Amino acid sequence: MSNPGLYASIYEQIREYAELVDTVLIGLKSGTSQPHDPIRQTLGNLLITLAGETWESLPTRMIALMLRDTHKTSQQKWQQLGQALLAEQFDPNFTKDLEDLAVALEQEQAGTITKMRGSIR
């Protein structure tokens, strides 16, 4: 796979995670999100997976390493945030952490686009 193709694939994976976070955030802020919502369950489980030391899928591993290296995001924070999303009552104090994750993913998207454009030249 060429560098542009690789970066396009990475960008797409980050975009999917970012949309997942955004959707859950909107639901939490509007009061429509429930613990049993499939999207909320998916994000909660993803965050718990990111907190681990091993990952089953390459995209999950890639995102975990990017966020940990670039944004110094604590794996313990991912675990807590994932568990909070799966809990019956979501602690609003975790909303800021979700917003921080959304910003980190947005920054990763921007960085990936820059790399993609640089490798095309």
Side-chain angles (χ1 to χ4, degrees):
M1 182 182 291
S2 66
N3 280 348
L6 173 65
Y7 290 128
S9 177
I10 291 170
Y11 176 85
E12 181 62 25
Q13 192 64 54
I14 295 169
R15 186 191 61 75
E16 287 178 22
Y17 288 150
E19 284 182 7
L20 183 64
V21 172
D22 289 345
T23 301
V24 171
L25 261 172
I26 290 167
L28 288 168
K29 288 185 172 189
S30 68
T32 60
S33 179
Q34 299 296 319
H36 61 274
D37 290 343
I39 292 176
R40 184 166 157 180
Q41 291 282 316
T42 299
L43 181 57
N45 288 320
L46 172 65
L47 291 169
I48 290 170
T49 300
L50 288 176
E53 290 296 323
T54 58
W55 305 276
E56 291 181 18
S57 74
L58 183 59
T60 303
R61 176 184 168 94
M62 178 194 63
I63 295 295
L65 294 175
M66 280 180 165
L67 292 174
R68 185 170 55 184
D69 293 346
T70 308
H71 301 282
K72 307 300 183 217
T73 306
S74 159
Q75 288 173 283
Q76 181 181 13
K77 184 178 281 189
W78 291 333
Q79 177 79 23
Q80 292 169 342
L81 186 52
Q83 289 172 340
L85 286 169
L86 298 176
E88 196 59 39
Q89 293 294 320
F90 182 76
D91 182 349
N93 294 324
F94 283 108
T95 303
K96 172 76 169 97
D97 294 329
L98 264 181
E99 290 170 345
D100 291 345
L101 178 60
V103 168
L105 288 169
E106 184 179 327
Q107 290 171 347
E108 288 300 329
Q109 281 181 290
T112 302
I113 286 176
T114 300
K115 290 175 187 172
M116 194 168 33
R117 286 182 181 151
S119 69
I120 292 174
R121 294 179 189 170

